[in-house]
Amino acid sequence: MRTGDDWMVRVVCRTHNHAPAMYMEGHPYPGRLSKFETQFMVHLSTKNVKPRDILTSLKKQNPDNVSTIKTVYNARQKFQTAEKAGKTQMQVVMSFLQCEGYIFESQTNVVTNELEYLFFAHPGSLEGWRAFPHMLLMDATYKTNRYRMPLLEIVGMTATNMTFCIAFVFLHSEKVFNYTWALRCLQSRMDGCTGPRIIVTDRELTLMNASA
């Protein structure tokens, strides 16, 4: 009922039309994450922990927690949106590489300022490669991103025949000079170490010519 510029509410029945819930799981207000739980969720998300495992960890820390998997997904989405803060996806990638201490090199088109090449490697991976430099396995994947840029994966092998990732390179196209640029970036990180004696590819002729 409205009286002038104000509204008045008249209670007709003071009792609920349903019995109180026995379990609070699934209700948004009691299932919300506390400040500490949100920080804990963000920490695990940055470590690439799966949402279901994050929820399990939250419930182990707090047996009274009634959050659901949807709560975790929503909290992760809110954090990721705030983290981007208006940045493009490529800006987010570059910021991540810099914050996490990756070694990376990039090259853009001088006319359009679009990214054409991006080489990145973790320092720990390069240390492993310097210890086992004798074999390289290289292969490019296709259509793995919205920009349709081929992703070249460079893999090494230990003395016990275990493989490990060395570096990744986004390429503008699969031409000889594209692969040459990627291999030069890798070579610049050898720090005087012995070059590979064997390079394994999937008979990609342009990659084979660049490796020669």
Side-chain angles (χ1 to χ4, degrees), residues 50-70:
K50 295 180 180 179
R52 65 171 181 267
D53 296 327
I54 294 177
L55 182 62
T56 301
S57 299
L58 289 172
K59 291 185 179 295
K60 284 183 178 180
Q61 284 197 346
N62 180 15
D64 297 327
N65 181 285
V66 292
S67 301
T68 62
I69 190 67
K70 185 177 180 180

Side-chain angles (χ1 to χ4, degrees), residues 161-200:
N161 295 329
M162 299 292 292
T163 58
F164 62 97
C165 294
I166 298 175
F168 299 89
V169 190
F170 281 111
L171 302 173
H172 179 261
S173 60
E174 293 181 284
K175 304 295 183 181
V176 174
F177 58 85
N178 299 126
Y179 285 121
T180 301
W181 183 89
L183 294 177
R184 284 176 179 172
C185 290
L186 183 65
Q187 187 179 25
S188 66
R189 304 298 174 182
M190 292 179 64
D191 294 338
C193 293
T194 304
R197 293 183 297 177
I198 301 174
I199 297 179
V200 181

Side-chain angles (χ1 to χ4, degrees), residues 6-24:
D6 301 323
W7 286 87
M8 294 181 62
V9 179
R10 184 177 63 181
V11 180
V12 178
C13 179
R14 297 179 181 274
T15 60
H16 287 285
N17 59 358
H18 59 82
M22 298 181 62
Y23 304 100
M24 299 307 295

